[in-house]
Amino acid sequence: MNKVDPTMLGISLIGIVVVAGILIAANFSSAKAPVQYSTSSQDRPKLEISEKSFDLGKMKLADTKTKEITLKNTGNQPLDMRNFSTSCGCTYVQVFSGDLKSPQLSMHSEADWSTEIAPGATARLVVSYQPSLMPVEGDVSREVYFKTNDPENPSVTITFKAFIE
């Protein structure tokens, strides 16, 4: 009878566990990629944004101001929105889409949150600016960024300004 080398058996078992772990992790971490469309296609999502830039006006350093922006899908396919981020840790964005509510997303947020807007439906994007988190004075400009599967708006930037007293 052949004897099994315990070292080789241990290495084989470790190899099986590692491969199984990689396969399981890949299955859980692979987010569904959004369907992509061409600009010439009539059958696609189309993002309409109520405002791409705005002015929050004068603010005190201790103030927090918010602005609500409406996002509408005027196309005839689901609009995928993902990779929300901001230009500064003092700026946050939160998305309200149907029954879904995103966490407050910022410059240092995990960018894996995503949502879809059905054709004809709307979502709300709430931008919050809190200058005390990154103290500055005078004119400031900040941005909110996200990506979509609308071929005319694959990368969206919303800009705002304020004057900090």
Side-chain angles (χ1 to χ4, degrees):
M1 185 156 125
N2 291 341
K3 201 171 192 185
V4 177
D5 181 11
T7 305
M8 291 306 292
L9 181 62
I11 291 171
S12 297
L13 287 175
I14 290 172
I16 291 170
V17 169
V18 168
V19 169
I22 290 170
L23 292 173
I24 290 169
N27 189 36
F28 281 113
S29 68
S30 63
K32 181 180 137 191
V35 176
Q36 298 299 313
Y37 300 89
S38 75
T39 55
S40 61
S41 174
Q42 296 297 316
D43 190 32
R44 64 181 175 85
K46 185 165 177 57
L47 174 64
E48 185 179 287
I49 303 173
S50 63
E51 291 182 78
K52 285 187 91 170
S53 66
F54 56 91
D55 188 342
L56 290 175
K58 290 184 178 182
M59 297 177 66
K60 302 248 185 254
L61 191 61
D63 291 347
T64 298
K65 285 193 177 180
T66 62
K67 175 73 173 180
E68 187 173 302
I69 296 170
T70 302
L71 307 172
K72 183 172 184 176
N73 180 3
T74 59
N76 54 16
Q77 292 296 321
L79 176 71
D80 180 86
M81 299 186 313
R82 62 185 54 237
N83 297 90
F84 290 88
S85 182
T86 65
S87 61
C88 182
C90 58
T91 304
Y92 296 91
V93 63
Q94 195 163 23
V95 184
F96 298 85
S97 178
D99 294 337
L100 293 177
K101 173 181 160 184
S102 77
Q104 281 195 322
L105 303 163
S106 178
M107 173 185 237
H108 303 293
S109 298
E110 295 288 327
D112 62 354
W113 191 88
S114 66
T115 190
E116 277 188 356
I117 303 176
T122 60
R124 294 179 302 123
L125 191 76
V126 178
V127 178
S128 299
Y129 177 54
Q130 190 174 354
S132 64
L133 296 176
M134 294 291 293
V136 294
E137 290 182 356
D139 289 317
V140 296
S141 179
R142 301 287 185 259
E143 291 85 30
V144 172
Y145 314 105
F146 62 96
K147 299 202 177 293
T148 79
N149 64 340
D150 174 352
E152 291 182 6
N153 291 291
S155 295
V156 178
T157 300
I158 297 172
T159 305
F160 69 90
K161 62 182 182 175
F163 184 83
I164 311 306
E165 299 180 309

